[in-house]
């Protein structure tokens, strides 16, 4: 059974950077559509970034220019480089394996009904 395991979350000050990693077991990230979403307490899920089966990427407006999603094929993992972090980025971050038949824009708008996701890693940004 395939699994995803996120890591790299931490508490940082505003303006800082973090690099999240999502290790895949039982599946390959190569050519798999994948994404990151986040959820803060009492708030709905937000799609953060997604990557298609090639190298096409898409981001929610609030993280454009600050976050970068990519695959690390050597480590069979998905990464999310987060720079210039803001307090509003505070949330639990999850990676997900997404159906390639679904557009990235559609999944970002409503990050659900994907194949599966990991258990999450906590990101806390203080002002």
């Amino acid at each position: 059974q395939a699994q995803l395991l996120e890591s790299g979350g931490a508490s940082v000050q505003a303006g800082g950077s973090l690099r999240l990693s999502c290790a895949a077991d039982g599946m390959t990230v190569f050519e798999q559509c994948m994404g990151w979403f986040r959820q803060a307490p009492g708030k709905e899920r937000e799609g953060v970034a997604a990557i298609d089966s090639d190298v096409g990427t898409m981001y929610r407006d609030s993280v454009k220019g600050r976050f970068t999603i990519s695959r690390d094929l050597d480590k069979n993992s998905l990464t999310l480089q987060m720079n210039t972090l803001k307090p509003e980025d505070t949330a639990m971050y999850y990676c997900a394996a997404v159906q390639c038949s679904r557009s990235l824009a559609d999944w970002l708008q409503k990050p659900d009904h994907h194949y599966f996701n990991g258990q999450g890693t906590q990101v806390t940004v203080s002002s």
Side-chain angles (χ1 to χ4, degrees):
Q1 185 174 352
Q3 292 184 328
L4 298 171
L5 181 62
E6 302 91 339
S7 62
S11 295
V12 297
Q13 290 194 326
S17 297
L18 284 174
R19 185 176 180 86
L20 304 185
S21 183
C22 172
D25 184 31
M27 63 169 281
T28 176
V29 301
F30 179 61
E31 293 185 334
Q32 171 63 52
C33 298
M34 301 193 72
W36 289 93
F37 67 92
R38 65 189 182 189
Q39 189 164 22
K43 295 188 177 181
E44 291 189 354
R45 288 183 179 183
E46 293 182 338
V48 175
I51 187 167
D52 64 19
S53 58
D54 194 1
V55 291
T57 58
M58 188 168 288
Y59 301 89
R60 72 179 296 108
D61 287 345
S62 63
V63 307
K64 284 180 181 177
R66 300 190 296 122
F67 290 11
T68 303
I69 186 172
S70 63
R71 292 185 182 89
D72 185 331
L73 298 182
D74 289 339
K75 296 181 180 179
N76 194 32
S77 65
L78 184 73
T79 64
L80 185 68
Q81 178 66 43
M82 306 188 296
N83 299 326
T84 319
L85 283 161
K86 302 177 181 180
E88 51 264 42
D89 295 319
T90 295
M92 185 73 80
Y93 283 71
Y94 303 84
C95 67
V98 181
Q99 293 88 340
C100 288
S101 58
R102 189 176 178 186
S103 73
L104 297 186
D106 180 67
W107 185 82
L108 279 176
Q109 187 170 13
K110 195 173 185 184
D112 57 11
H113 300 298
H114 40 262
Y115 289 127
F116 54 91
N117 54 261
Q119 294 300 305
T121 186
Q122 178 68 38
V123 172
T124 303
V125 185
S126 58
S127 58

